[in-house]
Every structure is written in C-alpha cells, then in structure tokens.
Amino acid sequence: MKTVLEIKNLTKRFEGLVAVKDVNITVKERQIHALIGPNGAGKTTTLSMINGTLEPTSGKILFGGQDITGMPAYKIAQKGLGRTFQNIKVFGSLTALENLMVGAMHNNNKGGVLRMLLCVKETNAMERTMREQALEVINEIGIYRLKDEYARNLPYGSQKVLELGRALMGKPKMILLDEPAAGLNTSERAEFVEILEKMYEKGIDLFLIEHNMDVVMNISHMITVLNFGQKIAEGTPSQIQSNPEVIRAYLGNRYKTIRKTEESRGNANAGR
Amino acid sequence: MKNYESLVKKIFPVFAMLLAISLFPVFLKNNYYLTIGCQAMLYCIVALGLNFIVGMSGMMTLGTGAVYGLGAYTSALLSTKLGVNPWLALIPVLVMGWLIGKGLGFPSLRVQFVYFSLVTIAFNEIVRNLLTNLEFTGSGTGVRNIPPYSIFGFEFNTQLRSYYLIFAFLVVFIIIALRIAKSKWRRAFIAVKDNPEALEVSGINVSSVKITAFTLSSIFGCVAGALYAHFNRYITPSTFTTDLSISFVVMLIIGGLGNFWGCILGAYVVAFLPQLLRSAGTSYKLIYAVLMMLAVILFPNGIMSDIRRSVGKLINNGKGFSKGGGIGENRTGN
C-alpha cells in the first residue's frame, strides 16, 4: 500500500510548552486513520500543522511524497488536503449553497477580476460549473432543502455537514476532520458516519480526530494515540482497545471491563 | 424563457434607478441642484467601491478621502502642469488606484479591527498634510484652472454636460460592481469577513483576496476623484479630510453594509441631506446629526437592508425558517 501522508519527528513548541513532541505517523492510501487521545494531547495542533495553519517547530510532513512542511495553508489545500474544524467555521452571511461554492473557487480561479470583467462567457461558464457541483454535493450531504438558507441560520448538525461539504468541493484526495461527531446526537452521528463512509468509498482518504469511541472503533482502519504530545500507541482498533497503556491514559478501566463482559458474554453464547 | 424573465426582473430595478437619475436634470434645472446631483453620483461611485472593503470584507477603512484626493490630484496635476489630455490622464489615475490598493491592502494583512482603522486615518492625514505642504501640489491653495473633459471639441464645461458625463461613468461602475457582486469575488470578500481561516483552508489566498478588495475600491475612488477634479475645475487639500472619509463610511452604514442599493441610497442621502437642511441655518449640523442617529437606531442594518427584510417578511407572511431538513431536523428522533 502506498503512503499518502507521512509525518516525521513532528514537534511544536509554544514558548515553554511542548504541545507535540517527535510524533511519527504514516497514513496509508485507502484508509480511515483516526487520531485519539485525552484533552490537551496535541491532536488539533498536529492537524493544524499538517494543513498549514500552524507552522511546526521542527519535523517534516510529506503529502503524496511531496514536502509540504511550512507551506501556506491555501497551497496545501490546493494540493488536495481538505479540512474541517472542531468549532464550526462556516461563512454565516452566505447561503449554504454559496458556502459550498467558495470551496470550489480555487479550482475555478483563472485570472483576476479584470479577466472576470472582460471574459463574460468564460466567467458565466465557471459560475455554472461551480453551482452544478455545489448542487450535487449538497444533495450528497443531505441538506438540499436548506440550500438557500444563510449558513448562520442552519442547525448545528447541518452546519457541520456543510463544512464537510465545503471541503468536498475542493475535490480533495484526503480530508482532515477535527471531531466530526462532537455535539451530534446519536441519529445525527449515524447520518454523519454514513456520509463519511460514502466519501471514503468515493476514494477520499480520511484522517480524523474523534472522542466518540463508537465512531472511531467502527469506521477507522488504523488508530494513533497521543498523550501529552507524544505517540503512545498505533494499531488497528482491536489492538488499541487491548493496549494497556492506552487504557490507562485514555480509554479508562471501565472501557476494558465493558469490553471484557461483552467478550465473556460472547464466549458464553458461543459455548452454549 | 424563465431565465429571460428572471433576468428582466433583476435588471429592471437598476434600469429604473438609472432612468430616474438620468431624468433628474429635467426636473431640477437649477445649477445648484445639478452640482449636488453630480456630487451624489461621484459619491455613489466611491461608495460602490468602498462596499467591497467595508461592506463585504468587513474592514473599516477611514482613508477613502485620501484615495479620492489622490485620484483628483493625479489627474489635475497631470492636466494642468504637463498638459496631458484629461482622458489620457485616466490611465495614470487607474495606476494610482492600483498602487494605493496594494499599499493600503498590505497593512490590512498585519493589523486588524480598530487598529487598522487607525492606520487608515493616519494614511488620510499624511496624504492631506503632504498635499497641503508640498509646493508641487499647489500647497494650501490647491490646483486651479483644471481643464474639463472634452470630446472632439465638445467640452463638458457646464453643470448639465458634466452631469451626463459623470452619469455615463456611474453606469459603467454600476455594471462593474454588479458583475463583481454576482461573481465568486463577492463570496470570497464575504468569506474574508466571516471566517478568514476557513477561506484559507478552502484553498484561497486570503491576503490576495483582501488586496483585490482594496485595489478595486481604490480604483473606484481614484476615478471618482479625477472626475471630481475636472468637474469642479478647482481642488484644495481641505476637501480630502478624514471627515470626508467618515462620510463615505456613513453612506454605507445608512444604506446598509454590503448592499448595492444601500450604497446608492446612502450616497444620495449624504449628498442631499445637508443641502435640504440649509434652511435650518446654523442649527443644520445638529439636525443632521440627530437624523443620522435616528436612521441608525431605526434601521440598524441600514435603510435598504431593513426595508428589504420587512418586505420579504410580508411576502413570506411569517413563514420564516420552516423549510428545515437534513441533519439536525430529527433532533427529537433520538
């Protein structure tokens, strides 16, 4: 399997505080990779360094074999690395559809204002392509009926999928998701996971931070665990669930016992 | 066919407005009112440009007076000192606008909010002081005997002729502004105001979008300034004060930030209201201020935006936000 994203010895220091220390992560192609860990473990910092909103203190980030360390965020996005945020960032005074169209702008950004004013036909054609693509995506993420509402008036869950849709509009190879399921109720979460799986099937790799273990354990192929800025474990969901250090630092003993009782129940059923 | 209808529907209000503006001199032949009419149209042009920065991108710039002034001086000095044809002088004026845009856009990348406003006020004061003190710009007395525009010997030297010349420019700038307002640039400008970080991760260079907004705005401002110079035939630095910059922003706030119609209405209100209040004598400034305060209190989103909203409410008859759907709709189905 080819490597899509490679993080080498990534370190971020804020004054005296070391937020991320010597982290190495390798994300393979066609995988959903999750990053978990307790609060303040440096997950979001890592994500921000990958997509260029934060500059790493040291270390290297390779995306598709290309060094993207310290590149401005917009260039990294143009290379096909989308992102969503933990605290939703939509454009409140634009409609849902317009929000999505912003996501497609960099693919339809030939020339400046002058060219737009002079080449009426070309501009109109580009505008039409963007609108059609946005309509397609808004249908896919299931908020078609809200397309003409201002984003700030949308319910929380819809804003969340809208943000995801905006990332999709850029036709990314990979999307970084920062706590996509946070704040969603059970049914919304199920819908969201469905959308994520649909995206994955369409060929987009996902790299996500998530606290919700249902989501993480169900959809991810590979999990990396951070604690106090350092990687403490990496493996498949079942490996992570039985890793003693992960249980101590993050999952907690309760998780272990629940799992044990479930397993023993399973064994008992099998025995019967 | 439906497309055609919607196009007519969209263009009709603009057309009606332009017709109204073009018929204005028929009803008010008085030179005095014509002068204010010209002033109002120039304000419209500046306000339409300023709308890209203040209204859409959400950056409060208070240096527009200087931009207007630099446009006026560029054209005036070139045509009086070097004898350049005023039409030809429009090219350096455009370049000037472009340069100011780049120059003013740059600090906007570094300082934000009130601090940015302070920087732009400083810019305005520096420009005004330079214009007042440099001998080259005619110091305090300004530039006199600026030639009017002319086409094949037809001089735009009367109020009425100037009115239609400025009107023609206004039409051009309205078309440009409307086209930009319909394009991805409007979305980019608003995105800069709403959430620059999100725009950046969407693959757009926020700095260049900001600078684009400034460049556009300065070009609008500079051309309006040049028109002003050749219309008034006489300019002094005392015109281009921070007060003028503030009144440009007031136009937008009165009319409605980010609203095309608001710009036009605001420009006319700010141009005409003081003249209509002339009869109040010395207390006119007081009345003017009170009216402005009332306008802001009664129409907190700008006159145009609020009217539009209430009309929209009447049409929808309080349907409001009921279309709902998708994720979030079934919050109760937990």
Side-chain angles (χ1 to χ4, degrees):
Chain A
M1 254 192 291
K2 258 171 61 188
T3 305
V4 199
L5 184 70
E6 203 174 358
I7 298 164
K8 288 182 190 163
N9 303 325
L10 198 65
T11 301
K12 178 72 194 178
R13 239 179 239 113
F14 294 110
E15 311 274 306
L17 178 86
V18 185
V20 176
K21 195 179 171 194
D22 263 340
V23 169
N24 289 290
I25 303 173
T26 307
V27 183
K28 297 268 191 259
E29 208 175 35
R30 302 307 303 131
Q31 274 202 337
I32 299 180
H33 197 119
L35 187 63
I36 62 171
N39 288 327
K43 304 182 298 290
T44 301
T45 310
T46 309
L47 211 65
S48 297
M49 282 191 283
I50 297 173
N51 94 316
T53 25
L54 267 182
E55 202 169 329
T57 312
S58 65
K60 255 193 176 172
I61 303 158
L62 302 173
F63 178 61
Q66 199 181 1
D67 191 356
I68 56 165
T69 327
M71 242 186 219
Y74 73 93
K75 278 199 179 148
I76 293 178
Q78 285 170 2
K79 291 197 182 301
L81 199 61
R83 167 174 188 178
T84 69
F85 293 91
Q86 186 176 358
N87 43 344
I88 303 174
K89 293 190 174 174
V90 292
F91 308 123
S93 13
L94 293 176
T95 66
L97 199 67
E98 285 171 335
N99 261 273
L100 293 181
M101 288 165 81
V102 170
M105 186 171 160
H106 78 259
N107 288 332
N108 296 280
N109 205 9
K110 257 189 276 165
V113 174
L114 200 63
R115 177 152 180 179
M116 182 209 84
L117 292 172
L118 296 177
C119 312
V120 178
K121 257 196 180 157
E122 186 194 66
T123 318
N124 289 348
M126 264 199 270
E127 189 77 8
R128 218 173 301 126
T129 347
M130 277 194 267
R131 184 168 292 272
E132 275 160 17
Q133 201 200 335
L135 284 170
E136 209 174 283
V137 168
I138 209 165
N139 220 349
E140 227 168 81
I141 60 176
I143 53 169
Y144 184 83
R145 275 173 298 172
L146 298 171
K147 69 181 163 66
D148 293 324
E149 294 290 344
Y150 284 116
R152 59 164 180 267
N153 295 335
L154 297 185
Y156 181 83
S158 306
Q159 289 194 13
K160 234 163 175 169
V161 283
L162 184 64
E163 213 192 355
L164 180 66
R166 188 181 65 210
L168 271 177
M169 289 293 290
K171 297 187 175 153
K173 292 190 204 103
M174 183 179 208
I175 299 184
L176 311 171
L177 300 141
D178 198 346
E179 303 208 14
L184 302 180
N185 67 33
T186 325
S187 63
E188 288 170 343
R189 212 183 294 144
E191 272 181 66
F192 204 100
V193 167
E194 222 171 84
I195 296 171
L196 287 185
E197 281 174 339
K198 227 196 281 174
M199 279 164 48
Y200 172 70
E201 275 156 27
K202 277 178 75 184
I204 299 167
D205 299 321
L206 305 174
F207 185 81
L208 60 131
I209 294 176
E210 189 49 70
H211 275 303
N212 197 297
M213 283 309 123
D214 288 350
V215 176
V216 171
M217 297 302 171
N218 279 332
I219 67 168
S220 46
H221 304 120
M222 202 58 147
I223 298 175
T224 302
V225 189
L226 286 186
N227 191 24
F228 291 116
Q230 278 173 304
K231 185 162 98 173
I232 58 169
E234 192 166 53
T236 60
S238 56
Q239 281 169 342
I240 292 298
Q241 281 173 24
S242 51
N243 185 316
E245 202 177 346
V246 177
I247 290 170
R248 191 185 54 74
Y250 182 54
L251 296 175
N253 275 323
R254 209 174 133 256
Y255 195 85
K256 195 165 135 195
T257 43
I258 291 169
R259 218 178 141 255
K260 273 221 172 122
T261 47
E262 272 174 4
E263 258 173 25
S264 59
R265 212 178 286 149
N267 289 341
N269 285 342
R272 225 176 270 162
Chain B
M1 207 55 205
K2 203 192 158 208
N3 238 337
Y4 178 72
E5 263 171 39
S6 73
L7 192 72
V8 169
K9 227 179 187 178
K10 264 180 203 161
I11 288 183
F12 179 72
V14 180
F15 191 75
M17 175 198 71
L18 288 177
L19 195 70
I21 296 179
S22 67
L23 288 180
F24 174 88
V26 178
F27 299 108
L28 289 165
K29 284 205 175 96
N30 182 334
N31 267 349
Y32 172 67
Y33 281 112
L34 275 180
T35 310
I36 303 164
C38 292
Q39 198 68 261
M41 286 193 293
L42 291 173
Y43 284 174
C44 277
I45 296 175
V46 179
L48 284 173
L50 194 61
N51 195 27
F52 297 127
I53 310 180
V54 180
M56 294 180 186
S57 311
M59 291 175 283
M60 190 54 79
T61 165
L62 293 169
T64 322
V67 177
Y68 190 61
L70 283 172
Y73 267 88
T74 308
S75 196
L77 288 175
L78 281 173
S79 52
T80 51
K81 300 222 161 164
L82 299 175
V84 178
N85 185 317
W87 292 107
L88 217 59
L90 274 176
I91 296 165
V93 167
L94 288 175
V95 174
M96 186 51 133
W98 184 79
L99 282 176
I100 300 172
K102 301 273 167 193
L104 259 189
F106 185 69
S108 79
L109 311 175
R110 304 223 146 237
V111 278
Q112 280 182 316
F113 316 120
V114 185
Y115 308 102
F116 176 68
S117 305
L118 289 175
V119 170
T120 54
I121 291 177
F123 165 72
N124 203 323
E125 283 306 301
I126 291 168
V127 169
R128 193 182 59 84
N129 273 311
L130 281 178
L131 293 179
T132 319
N133 292 312
L134 285 178
E135 209 144 293
F136 164 70
T137 58
S139 20
T141 50
V143 186
R144 290 156 187 277
N145 301 326
I146 304 166
Y149 286 101
S150 62
I151 301 176
F152 304 120
F154 180 84
E155 286 200 334
F156 293 94
N157 51 4
T158 66
Q159 259 83 354
L160 191 67
R161 289 173 179 182
S162 297
Y163 188 92
Y164 284 106
L165 178 75
I166 297 174
F167 176 72
F169 272 92
L170 179 66
V171 171
V172 172
F173 279 107
I174 282 179
I175 291 170
I176 294 175
L178 281 177
R179 260 199 84 67
I180 291 169
K182 264 185 68 189
S183 75
K184 61 191 175 195
W185 289 102
R186 183 188 131 255
R187 296 192 291 270
F189 293 153
I190 292 178
V192 163
K193 176 179 71 184
D194 281 356
N195 216 319
E197 204 184 340
L199 186 63
E200 191 91 17
V201 304
S202 303
I204 307 295
N205 186 350
V206 171
S207 313
S208 85
V209 171
K210 278 185 180 175
I211 289 183
T212 304
F214 274 98
T215 312
L216 275 172
S217 162
S218 311
I219 287 176
F220 276 56
C222 275
V223 173
L227 290 174
Y228 168 76
H230 294 281
F231 158 66
N232 215 29
R233 316 273 301 270
Y234 166 61
I235 49 173
T236 59
S238 58
T239 314
F240 312 108
T241 54
T242 315
D243 275 3
L244 183 67
S245 301
I246 292 172
S247 41
F248 285 134
V249 174
V250 167
M251 290 170 206
L252 296 190
I253 292 175
I254 294 284
L257 286 172
N259 186 321
F260 165 79
W261 293 100
C263 295
I264 309 266
L265 182 77
Y268 269 85
V269 168
V270 171
F272 274 93
L273 198 55
Q275 316 303 332
L276 296 179
L277 292 175
R278 271 279 155 83
S279 53
T282 46
S283 55
Y284 110 85
K285 273 215 161 168
L286 179 73
I287 299 174
Y288 180 72
V290 170
L291 280 178
M292 286 292 159
M293 269 159 65
L294 277 180
V296 172
I297 292 167
L298 294 176
F299 304 99
N301 299 304
I303 297 174
M304 244 19 211
S305 311
D306 279 327
I307 287 176
R308 230 187 215 183
R309 199 165 297 176
S310 34
V311 168
K313 256 188 201 159
L314 276 178
I315 292 169
N316 282 332
N317 204 8
K319 270 183 218 155
F321 182 68
S322 60
K323 288 178 214 159
I327 290 194
E329 192 183 33
N330 43 14
R331 271 191 178 272
T332 46
N334 197 352

